[in-house]
Amino acid sequence: MQDIRDAAALLASAGDVTILGHVRPDADALGSALALGRALRQRGARVRVSFGEPDEAPETLRWLDEDGLLTHPDALPDSEELLVCVDTPTPKRLGRLAGRVELAGAVLVIDHHATNTRYGTCHVVDESAEASAVLVFRVLEELGAELDEPIARGLYAGIVTDTSGFRRASPETHRMATRLLEAGADPEAIVRRIVDERPFAWLPMLSAVLGEARLEPEAAQGRGFVYAVVPVEAARTVRGEEVESVIDVVRSVREAAVAAVLKQDPAHPRQWQISLRSTGIDVSAVAAQFGGGGHRQAAGCTIAGSVAEVVAGLREVLERAPLL
Ligand SMILES: [Mn+2]
């Protein structure tokens, strides 16, 4: 609780705040950042929200920016008196904005990743929170901020996605969601626009990628490993959102406790962004072996090599990774 009070005190006295999410921000990073940003702006602070890459927010998340707070990295001030980093376990995950942590007067870190390195000057870091939005909710409550529909929309977007549709939400988080609905969040619209709705091009992309998926039942300490590869040619036909959605299909395979999607980096074809999901092995430990991180059941990292080399590397680390 003390960390929530410290964070609220820091935010209450701030006149100018930059809020950053991680690179390739998801609904939790952007929803949390924009909800916090709106609340601070309503208190009279100058607020901007940014992230290191890509240049524009995912199309499915732009409607969360009710106040036009999203700011391109090139338009940020030289340094900040207060920098808030949301849903970002390490400065490295800020991408090109990582250097701002050193330059800022104070750095508030609000995050729920197990791999958070506590790189700020004030921390609301709680691995047991299902989403960073849960922590932002508590900070806003401490601040006495009024929940309105745009704030509730952003927080609900973060919670509903990070809990996979409330499958991993505590009773307390369900109670929080009740308050968000009462404040005007529209769950049907939020889930449709962020999770369910896809362009038609999604279907042929999925078909090509899933048709080449591989199952290795003996891998991952006999618990099973399934993976799919998204080469740049397949990714080029769709938005980033559709590429990110592949893991949600692959992870549903019953014969595998661990699922991975290898996404080829368009700028560096021998580099692969790896999404990992698991029901039986701590994949944050697996990702950490490759310089990445995340949660025990959902993590990511970048690995260089051919597909065969990357898969062999993952398979080897999975053989000795801690079980859940
Ligand atoms: Mn999150």
Side-chain angles (χ1 to χ4, degrees):
M1 251 333 272
Q2 188 56 46
D3 52 354
I4 303 271
R5 278 195 288 269
D6 291 346
L10 190 59
L11 292 167
S13 63
D16 188 285
V17 184
T18 298
I19 308 172
L20 302 181
H22 56 75
V23 290
R24 297 181 299 281
D26 59 8
D28 189 31
L30 270 191
S32 298
L34 291 165
L36 177 63
R38 177 173 171 89
L40 296 177
R41 192 163 115 140
Q42 285 171 346
R43 296 178 58 93
R46 275 164 49 98
V47 180
R48 55 201 80 75
V49 171
S50 193
F51 50 88
E53 63 175 83
D55 278 345
E56 283 199 281
E59 198 178 354
T60 47
L61 300 178
R62 276 176 223 159
W63 69 300
L64 299 178
D65 186 16
E66 187 76 16
D67 306 288
L69 299 178
L70 284 174
T71 304
H72 190 274
D74 293 344
L76 292 175
D78 292 338
S79 66
E80 281 87 12
E81 63 184 71
L82 176 57
L83 188 68
V84 183
C85 301
V86 174
D87 204 41
T88 306
T90 61
K92 190 179 155 200
R93 290 280 291 154
L94 295 170
R96 62 190 284 204
L97 300 178
R100 307 187 81 83
V101 170
E102 286 295 315
L103 298 172
V107 180
L108 168 60
V109 176
I110 304 177
D111 185 33
H112 69 128
H113 288 90
T115 47
N116 191 288
T117 57
R118 304 179 71 89
Y119 53 92
T121 58
C122 179
H123 302 93
V124 177
V125 175
D126 181 355
E127 194 196 322
S128 72
E130 303 95 328
S132 292
V134 165
L135 301 173
V136 169
F137 183 103
R138 293 194 193 128
V139 170
L140 293 184
E141 203 172 33
E142 182 67 23
L143 265 174
E146 196 199 325
L147 294 178
D148 63 8
E149 186 277 322
I151 290 175
R153 189 199 310 161
L155 296 179
Y156 191 93
I159 293 171
V160 74
T161 52
D162 268 27
T163 60
S164 303
F166 288 95
R167 282 198 277 274
R168 288 186 302 274
S170 67
E172 178 55 30
T173 298
H174 277 91
R175 280 190 281 274
M176 212 174 258
T178 304
R179 306 238 330 251
L180 298 173
L181 297 190
E182 285 164 355
D186 178 346
E188 200 280 328
I190 292 169
V191 174
R192 177 172 43 78
R193 292 182 69 159
I194 297 177
V195 182
D196 291 343
E197 218 169 55
R198 301 284 170 197
F200 179 75
W202 186 53
L203 299 183
M205 184 278 284
L206 267 188
S207 166
V209 165
L210 297 180
E212 298 293 320
R214 289 290 172 269
L215 172 67
E216 303 191 356
E218 307 306 323
Q221 305 175 46
R223 285 166 171 76
F225 176 49
V226 62
Y227 65 91
V229 177
V230 185
V232 279
E233 313 86 72
R236 210 174 275 132
T237 60
V238 292
R239 305 172 303 179
E241 287 96 317
E242 280 69 58
V243 174
E244 296 306 317
S245 77
V246 175
I247 189 65
D248 289 321
V249 185
V250 176
R251 74 170 186 177
S252 51
V253 170
R254 180 168 79 170
E255 295 90 336
V258 178
V261 172
L262 284 61
K263 297 165 282 182
Q264 191 172 27
D265 184 330
H268 308 94
R270 273 183 61 80
Q271 281 203 10
W272 302 84
Q273 285 162 18
I274 316 294
S275 296
L276 293 162
R277 298 290 183 275
S278 172
T279 54
I281 283 178
D282 178 353
V283 286
S284 72
V286 174
Q289 290 286 310
F290 297 100
H295 309 285
R296 278 194 279 265
Q297 298 192 43
C301 57
T302 302
I303 309 179
S306 66
V307 169
E309 287 163 351
V310 170
V311 170
L314 282 170
R315 209 190 283 126
E316 194 211 317
V317 174
L318 282 167
E319 278 321 305
R320 47 191 167 77
L323 302 178
L324 286 177

